Amino acid sequence: MSDACKSFTEINDTEKSLLITYITANQNTLAIELSDNTDDFLTGKVISSEKIPDDNNEATISSTYEPENILFDTQKSIYYGGGIIVVPCSFNVEASIDYYIYKPDYHAMEKTLSTSDHNDHYYAVDETVEITVEGNARFEFDISEPEDIELINCGIDSIDEIEIL
């Protein structure tokens, strides 16, 4: 490996280590910052589950509440340089989901759902469920002053799995 590559790798390893230490020490604060961005990212996502009585077992997330139990897995973090790091995370959140149910299927259920007429054959359903989300959080830090790291931006980078609890 060339000296330039070694130097770049050493800088990235040092910055990554610095950011992982910061994230570990400030998990609660970063979880609060991240929770402010989850609704925008999750709204509109389609989820699949055998627990959804839609013909295709699919529903669309229409909104979410405050996420709980946000956990970061800093050991699997990916550092992109320039203060940008992606950290695997998981959390639970209550979500409003929308789907359609065949009217005869609904009347055969023992469960009562919040429904409205969609057409002659289907009801529209709005249901609140608790989901668990596994994905990746993206943090962007100003690390120009290593002793005074500052969060610039954060949000959900990607979703790996959404499961209804």
Side-chain angles (χ1 to χ4, degrees):
M1 184 182 297
S2 72
D3 289 340
C5 288
K6 285 181 189 175
S7 176
F8 181 73
T9 302
E10 289 169 6
I11 290 170
N12 278 342
D13 288 345
T14 302
E15 289 175 357
K16 180 180 179 181
S17 177
L18 180 70
L19 291 177
I20 287 174
T21 301
Y22 180 85
I23 291 167
T24 302
N26 295 283
Q27 283 196 34
N28 291 339
T29 303
L30 294 174
I32 291 168
E33 291 290 331
L34 184 65
S35 69
D36 291 342
N37 297 299
T38 56
D39 185 58
D40 290 341
F41 192 82
L42 290 173
T43 297
K45 296 281 189 238
V46 174
I47 59 173
S48 298
S49 171
E50 294 296 319
K51 296 178 182 178
I52 301 169
D54 172 84
D55 290 346
N56 299 318
N57 300 109
E58 293 182 339
T60 302
I61 298 173
S62 57
S63 65
T64 62
Y65 297 88
E66 191 74 22
E68 297 176 344
N69 305 321
I70 297 176
L71 301 172
F72 299 112
D73 185 357
T74 55
Q75 298 303 315
K76 296 180 181 174
S77 299
I78 299 172
Y79 183 59
Y80 290 97
I84 298 171
I85 189 167
V86 174
V87 182
C89 67
S90 63
F91 56 88
N92 297 342
V93 64
E94 282 192 20
S96 293
I97 59 173
D98 299 326
Y99 57 92
Y100 299 96
I101 187 169
Y102 189 54
K103 287 182 177 181
D105 289 346
Y106 175 71
H107 292 293
M109 293 174 62
E110 293 181 18
K111 184 177 178 182
T112 302
L113 300 169
S114 173
T115 62
S116 60
D117 242 1
H118 177 65
N119 61 29
D120 290 342
H121 304 285
Y122 286 88
Y123 289 121
V125 179
D126 178 27
E127 183 179 5
T128 300
V129 296
E130 185 171 357
I131 60 175
T132 184
V133 178
E134 292 183 17
N136 295 292
R138 181 180 188 275
F139 297 101
E140 184 177 346
F141 294 96
D142 178 356
I143 56 173
S144 58
E145 302 287 330
E147 62 280 346
D148 189 26
I149 295 173
E150 182 181 339
L151 178 66
I152 297 172
N153 194 5
C154 73
I156 302 294
D157 186 67
S158 62
I159 299 293
D160 297 327
E161 184 177 352
I162 300 174
E163 182 180 332
I164 295 177
L165 299 177

